[in-house]
Amino acid sequence: MTIPLWSSNLILFWFLLVVLNVFTSIGYLTEDTLKGELWPTTKRGTYTAIVRFVSIGAYIPVIFLTAGLSIYQYMLFNFSVWFIGLIAAILWFTKGIETGKGRSLSEIS
């Protein structure tokens, strides 16, 4: 495993942290773009509030539930969460509404 390498090398750890945050930021930007394309303007604020409330609300118990995990268990937990996200992204790409697949914004609205 690579854990001993990045957990003992501060420069490598910070580099990996920055790279991870770049991908996280791309995810947030994509999310905001999809909100604008798919959610009606009159409901967008409500839907955004619900999504953020659920995600932040779920994060709090996860902190307590994972506090006692070893680094290997925590990485497995995170891998599981990322895998679920990957499956959801694939399902959305294949079954969801994508304006890039030839559908106009007015057609979706």
Side-chain angles (χ1 to χ4, degrees):
M1 278 263 177
T2 61
I3 295 171
L5 182 62
W6 58 258
S7 64
S8 62
N9 184 335
L10 189 60
I11 293 173
L12 179 60
F13 173 79
W14 281 107
F15 173 76
L16 292 172
L17 184 67
V18 167
V19 169
L20 174 65
N21 279 299
V22 166
F23 284 104
T24 302
S25 297
I26 290 170
Y28 280 121
L29 291 172
T30 304
E31 175 188 336
D32 285 341
T33 301
L34 289 173
K35 286 176 194 172
E37 289 188 4
L38 300 174
W39 290 346
T41 305
T42 57
K43 300 284 186 185
R44 195 173 305 147
T46 303
Y47 293 165
T48 301
I50 291 169
V51 167
R52 291 191 180 164
F53 176 78
V54 169
S55 64
I56 293 169
Y59 182 63
I60 295 167
V62 166
I63 291 171
F64 291 104
L65 293 172
T66 60
L69 298 181
S70 70
I71 194 161
Y72 294 102
Q73 292 170 324
Y74 192 72
M75 286 183 62
L76 182 60
F77 171 77
N78 278 299
F79 176 78
S80 301
V81 171
W82 295 334
F83 185 74
I84 291 168
L86 175 64
I87 296 300
I90 291 169
L91 284 172
W92 180 264
F93 183 74
T94 57
K95 306 280 186 201
I97 300 168
E98 288 284 339
T99 56
K101 290 182 180 177
R103 294 186 68 185
S104 69
L105 289 176
S106 59
E107 187 180 353
I108 291 171
S109 297

